[in-house]
Amino acid sequence: MENLLAFGCLVLTLVLYWLAKKLYRRTGNWWTAPLLAVPLLVIGAVVVGHIPYHTYFQDTHWLSWLLGPATVAFAIPIYEQRQVIRKHALSLSCGVLVAMPVAVMSSVWLARAFGLSELLQKSLAPRSISTPFAMATASSIGAPPDLTAVFVVITGVAGMLLGELMLMLLPLRSRLAKGALLGAAAHGAGTAKANELGAEEGVVASLTMMLGGIATVFAAPLIAWFV
Amino acid sequence: MKRLSDPAVKQSLATVLQVLMLCLVWLLASRLSHAYVPEIPAGVLGMFLVLAALALGWLPLAWCKSGARWLLAEMLLFFIPATVAVVQYPQLMGSIGLRIVLVILLSTVLVMTVTSLVVDAGYKFEIMLKRRKRQHGVL
């Protein structure tokens, strides 16, 4: 019975993901964005159905497992964009080297100022980078990776909502800066938005996201010391 | 029934094989990471292995491109199970949850502002350097 339920959870997750993607492609409303809609619907189903998390995770952990190969896959776009990296090495490294400390430190300091526990401060620290990098960083600084994954998703939704507003408010001249803004602050969600603005914005956003992720993973000992 | 020689079938078969290959690289990388460099997460180590193989010409880009594109395009699906874990933390409902959302919103605004202004300045500097180089070339 439990095995059947676990398998049902996997099917439910796949079906909801597929439906949300289809619906978003057709309507384009921000609240049908799979990043927001799928986790909410699945969490809703698990809560309403009183399904214990270990049952939910029994078969769906295969999906989580694929985050590992997905991290490896980042090598391909990085390799394909090597010309852009070389051309804008200075701006890109400035962006990454500034964005990552600002993201980590402001998350930790704000969490501390709002009286959140040390565990939450740690789990919030890597929240602005792409999920596989964020979860890897979380486990090396002693934060629960699943909690970090939740905060990464909230960050993505926040970035989707705030991105356009900030692009309007800030006096930015270059496409490079617009792409970096979205990629550094809102990982994959920001990169998707940047691709809507233009190809160059999209490339810069994805590079900022990927390089920022790698930089944060390597900075993990520093982050652990800081929190 | 579509034939195996159908280009669409061939393409999806290639994608599946490439995804399997990237999975194998990840398994290899996690072995290596466990044994020699536990500081580097397996995924990142595997990424550097593939990057090196591509740069050295050992791995043609066409052998991994469509698999990588699929894995990255469907990445959202892979982290949904982790986000469901939030049901194990009922204490995050209410005031704490609200404070977390506030932290994320404020920090996101800060990251966006600082990053984009710095990159804009860096870009202007890049252009200045290029102009100077060009002038030296002329002289």
Side-chain angles (χ1 to χ4, degrees):
Chain A
M1 182 60 203
E2 204 189 312
N3 286 338
L4 198 67
L5 187 62
F7 185 69
C9 287
L10 176 63
V11 174
L12 178 83
T13 307
L14 290 170
V15 168
L16 284 176
Y17 174 73
W18 181 75
L19 280 177
K21 244 174 85 165
K22 227 171 174 185
L23 191 69
Y24 184 60
R25 214 169 287 159
R26 191 170 302 168
T27 64
N29 294 327
W30 67 268
W31 48 268
T32 58
L35 178 69
L36 180 67
V38 184
L40 281 183
L41 287 172
V42 178
I43 290 168
V46 167
V47 169
V48 171
H50 293 286
I51 302 167
Y53 182 66
H54 69 88
T55 309
Y56 174 80
F57 202 60
Q58 188 180 317
D59 284 349
T60 52
H61 82 269
W62 290 108
L63 296 177
S64 280
W65 185 86
L66 281 168
L67 277 175
T71 321
V72 177
F74 273 117
I76 284 84
I78 290 180
Y79 180 72
E80 284 181 304
Q81 300 301 338
R82 61 197 184 283
Q83 246 79 10
V84 183
I85 298 183
R86 212 167 295 154
K87 191 171 162 205
H88 295 300
L90 184 80
S91 322
L92 280 172
S93 38
C94 281
V96 168
L97 289 178
V98 168
M100 295 311 125
V102 170
V104 170
M105 283 153 95
S106 68
S107 300
V108 173
W109 277 332
L110 283 164
R112 215 171 276 171
F114 283 127
L116 295 172
S117 69
E118 204 185 306
L119 188 80
L120 287 173
Q121 293 171 23
K122 274 188 187 168
S123 335
L124 279 162
R127 55 155 198 93
S128 90
I129 55 176
S130 190
T131 316
F133 298 116
M135 289 175 78
T137 310
S139 36
S140 42
I141 63 173
D146 45 17
L147 213 48
T148 295
V150 174
F151 300 152
V152 171
V153 168
I154 301 176
T155 301
V157 176
M160 254 170 26
L161 299 177
L162 292 168
E164 232 153 320
L165 182 75
M166 295 305 289
L167 285 174
M168 233 159 49
L169 290 176
L170 292 165
L172 303 173
R173 300 230 190 112
S174 61
R175 289 167 181 273
L176 221 58
K178 291 176 187 168
L181 176 149
L182 290 164
H187 51 91
T191 304
K193 186 112 239 167
N195 272 316
E196 287 170 21
L197 294 180
E200 194 178 344
E201 285 92 335
V203 169
V204 172
S206 73
L207 281 175
T208 313
M209 163 183 95
M210 296 185 289
L211 302 176
I214 299 166
T216 309
V217 167
F218 283 107
L222 217 67
I223 299 172
W225 168 81
F226 175 72
V227 187
Chain B
M1 204 41 203
K2 280 186 185 169
R3 291 245 191 87
L4 212 79
S5 55
D6 187 310
V9 175
K10 243 183 181 166
Q11 183 54 48
S12 14
L13 205 67
T15 306
V16 171
L17 283 175
Q18 292 178 11
V19 169
L20 285 176
M21 184 190 70
L22 289 165
C23 290
L24 282 177
V25 172
W26 188 75
L27 285 173
L28 174 77
S30 46
R31 285 278 174 86
L32 284 175
S33 153
H34 268 286
Y36 303 107
V37 273
E39 306 81 28
I40 305 178
V44 177
L45 185 65
M47 190 198 74
F48 278 114
L49 289 178
V50 173
L51 207 52
L54 285 167
L56 294 169
W58 296 350
L59 178 69
L61 190 60
W63 285 14
C64 50
K65 194 171 167 175
S66 70
R69 187 168 294 171
W70 184 83
L71 278 169
L72 292 175
E74 309 299 341
M75 203 164 75
L76 171 61
L77 175 64
F78 310 148
F79 62 77
I80 286 167
T83 64
V84 178
V86 77
V87 299
Q88 291 176 300
Y89 305 90
Q91 65 272 31
L92 294 187
M93 295 290 132
S95 137
I96 293 186
L98 204 67
R99 278 183 272 167
I100 290 173
V101 170
L102 259 176
V103 168
I104 293 177
L105 286 174
L106 288 173
S107 169
T108 300
V109 167
L110 206 65
V111 175
M112 285 179 165
T113 311
V114 176
T115 309
S116 58
L117 292 177
V118 166
V119 172
D120 225 22
Y123 181 68
K124 271 176 217 155
F125 190 68
E126 253 178 29
I127 289 181
M128 206 187 76
L129 281 182
K130 232 175 258 167
R131 204 170 287 158
R132 190 173 289 174
K133 223 184 220 171
R134 208 176 299 147
Q135 278 167 354
H136 274 277
V138 170
L139 283 171

